[in-house]
Amino acid sequence: MSGLNDPAFFGDRYAHEYDERTTLDPAPAVEFLAGLVPDGGRVLELAIGTGRVAIPLAERGIDVEGIEGSAAMVERMRAKPGGSSIPTVVGDMADVGVRGTFQLAYLVFNTLFNLPSQARQVDCFRNVVKVLEPGGVFVIECFIQDVTEFDRGQRVATRALSEDAVALEFLLHDPVEQAVTYQRVTVDAEGTTMRPLRLRYCWPSELDLMAQLAGMRLRERYDDWDRSPFTGASRSHVSVYEKV
């Protein structure tokens, strides 16, 4: 298995700087997810990472558990206040190797796309269904890939530029695999830093079919956590699937 496709790859490469580089406010996601379990209940986060969402959910009295491919990410979470009390399995999230059933499972911040193939993404849906209670829900947050940003299957962009540093982004697009391979390169006084990533993106309709194959149906879909309407102009979505 190549490094980019290893379940631990992302976390092992990014754990040391993940919280500093991820500036998105988790509060809207926490509010949305908590509203799906108003009376409490057992909740599972796939790719729990450093606990950005799970810890504030647990602080509301919700029984949160997690799965994470990288032990380095889990170590970071456990070093935070409240993080050590969240039971977390280190393993491939597509296998959903946990015990018991859950009222809610969720997978945020495009992390479904870290799974390397359509087959593994389907596995994830099917294994999530196995641990959901009847009527339980699976929430996914994903971007919608803009394929027009590529020229002959590639793109190069300058992300930041100053008198003593430059941050560049190199991308290759494979339309057959629906995959984008990234290399983000920073050159500064400390040298050259490379941050690789591969994402296998899905269209919303493809996700709906994966859910149907697994025994779920789309209950609702929004543009963002604020429940704004999903439209043809949306560049992301929050989708709620219900076990049938």
Side-chain angles (χ1 to χ4, degrees):
M1 179 181 292
S2 70
L4 284 170
N5 291 338
D6 190 321
F9 178 83
F10 179 85
D12 288 352
R13 288 293 293 259
Y14 292 94
H16 69 286
E17 61 179 7
Y18 182 79
D19 287 327
E20 290 73 20
R21 294 182 65 85
T22 304
T23 57
L24 293 176
D25 181 8
V30 171
E31 192 68 30
F32 184 102
L33 294 167
L36 296 175
V37 284
D39 300 321
R42 201 163 173 237
V43 171
L44 175 67
E45 178 170 1
L46 281 67
I48 196 170
T50 62
R52 181 175 64 96
V53 174
I55 291 174
L57 265 182
E59 289 173 348
R60 293 181 174 227
I62 296 171
D63 184 8
V64 183
E65 299 185 25
I67 300 173
E68 171 55 48
S70 168
M73 281 284 205
V74 176
E75 184 179 349
R76 290 271 171 168
M77 179 182 70
R78 288 175 175 161
K80 297 178 179 180
S84 61
S85 63
I86 298 176
T88 301
V89 173
V90 177
D92 192 330
M93 66 179 176
D95 296 328
V96 194
V98 294
R99 297 179 180 273
T101 58
F102 297 83
Q103 186 176 349
L104 164 68
Y106 64 93
L107 183 51
V108 301
F109 202 33
N110 316 308
T111 314
L112 176 71
F113 296 168
N114 283 40
L115 292 173
S117 65
Q118 184 186 69
R120 288 304 280 160
Q121 291 166 350
V122 170
D123 287 342
C124 183
F125 273 82
R126 285 176 167 160
N127 288 321
V128 164
V129 166
K130 293 176 183 178
V131 301
L132 283 181
E133 298 175 0
V137 295
F138 183 31
V139 178
I140 301 174
E141 177 192 20
C142 294
F143 68 80
I144 298 173
Q145 181 64 58
D146 181 3
V147 297
T148 66
E149 69 181 12
F150 301 102
D151 179 12
R152 289 164 291 178
Q154 57 187 295
R155 183 168 75 91
V156 178
T158 303
R159 295 171 60 88
L161 181 65
S162 68
E163 64 275 6
D164 54 7
V166 61
L168 303 170
E169 182 177 67
F170 300 83
L171 297 88
L172 288 177
H173 177 225
D174 182 342
V176 175
E177 294 293 330
Q178 292 177 203
V180 180
T181 303
Y182 301 72
Q183 185 61 269
R184 291 171 176 150
V185 181
T186 302
V187 182
D188 56 22
E190 298 181 2
T192 300
T193 303
M194 293 190 290
R195 298 179 176 88
L197 178 65
R198 181 185 185 275
L199 299 178
R200 195 273 167 184
Y201 63 86
C202 302
W203 307 114
S205 57
E206 183 182 4
L207 293 171
D208 295 349
L209 183 57
M210 290 183 186
Q212 181 180 341
L213 292 171
M216 289 186 279
R217 65 174 181 86
L218 180 67
R219 192 170 84 180
E220 47 195 326
R221 172 171 286 140
Y222 303 102
D223 181 272
D224 207 343
W225 296 108
D226 61 3
R227 297 180 181 268
S228 52
F230 179 78
T231 71
S234 296
R235 304 314 314 154
S236 64
H237 63 97
V238 174
S239 297
V240 181
Y241 295 101
E242 183 176 31
K243 183 175 180 177
V244 297

